[in-house]
Amino acid sequence: MSRLLLLNGPNLNLLGSREPAIYGAATLADIEQSLTAKAAALGHELACFQSNHEGALVDRVHAAKADGTAFIIANLGAYTHTSIALRDALLGVAMPFVEVHLSNVHARDAFRQHSYFSDIAAGVIVGFGPIGYELALTAVHARLAPHT
Ligand code: DQA
């Protein structure tokens, strides 16, 4: 059993009503409930955290180190494209993570095509909507229990 963290950044609290043609109809609560249940079925404990504030996300990454989190599944929203502070936080705690984006950021605005996280992530999943979080969980589970 491992402790995992689902970390969502700014504006992801608006999922369900935010630009549904891009981000879909599922709410963040839907995603968190479903992923928590799937993690439990795999034998893991999933904590969920969303914030619109960069410093709060940095603090939660630091707390993950202290609470024994083994892996983070992170959609850092627009901070993906801007936040050296969050990059340094993840490097600072040496915590492995999967970078997830609901939309295919490579098919959108040019400024979304650079990520401060992709080169330090265990892997990157983009463009599959909420299923991307499940794909990330599957990958994390395989990484943590490679022989099961
Ligand atoms: C996003 C893509 C980002 O460019 C954007 O700022 C978001 C959501 C996604 O999940 O597709 O807030 O991370």
Side-chain angles (χ1 to χ4, degrees):
M1 193 278 262
S2 295
R3 189 185 287 262
L4 311 177
L5 172 63
L6 174 63
L7 195 61
N8 278 286
N11 300 306
L12 293 164
N13 57 311
L14 297 180
L15 287 178
S17 61
R18 172 194 186 195
E19 299 180 89
I22 296 174
Y23 296 115
T27 66
L28 185 59
D30 295 336
I31 290 167
E32 289 179 346
Q33 279 163 25
S34 160
L35 206 70
T36 299
K38 288 187 166 70
L42 292 170
H44 303 301
E45 184 187 327
L46 182 77
C48 300
F49 184 79
Q50 186 277 331
S51 180
N52 297 318
H53 304 277
E54 190 173 23
L57 292 161
V58 169
D59 287 344
R60 188 63 187 85
V61 169
H62 294 178
K65 179 75 173 178
D67 73 16
T69 296
F71 233 106
I72 298 176
I73 297 170
N75 182 351
L76 296 170
Y79 287 143
T80 303
H81 318 298
T82 65
S83 183
I84 298 169
L86 274 164
R87 176 188 173 93
D88 284 351
L90 286 158
L91 287 172
V93 299
M95 178 88 52
F97 69 96
V98 179
E99 176 182 353
V100 175
H101 299 288
L102 295 151
S103 64
N104 180 357
V105 286
H106 301 291
R108 299 182 62 196
D109 321 80
F111 63 80
R112 295 185 203 277
Q113 291 168 34
H114 173 260
S115 164
Y116 276 103
F117 301 92
S118 298
D119 64 312
I120 59 167
V124 183
I125 297 169
V126 306
F128 293 107
I131 291 169
Y133 293 106
E134 295 176 20
L135 296 172
L137 176 63
T138 300
V140 167
H141 178 63
R143 198 48 89 81
L144 291 171
H147 304 300
T148 60

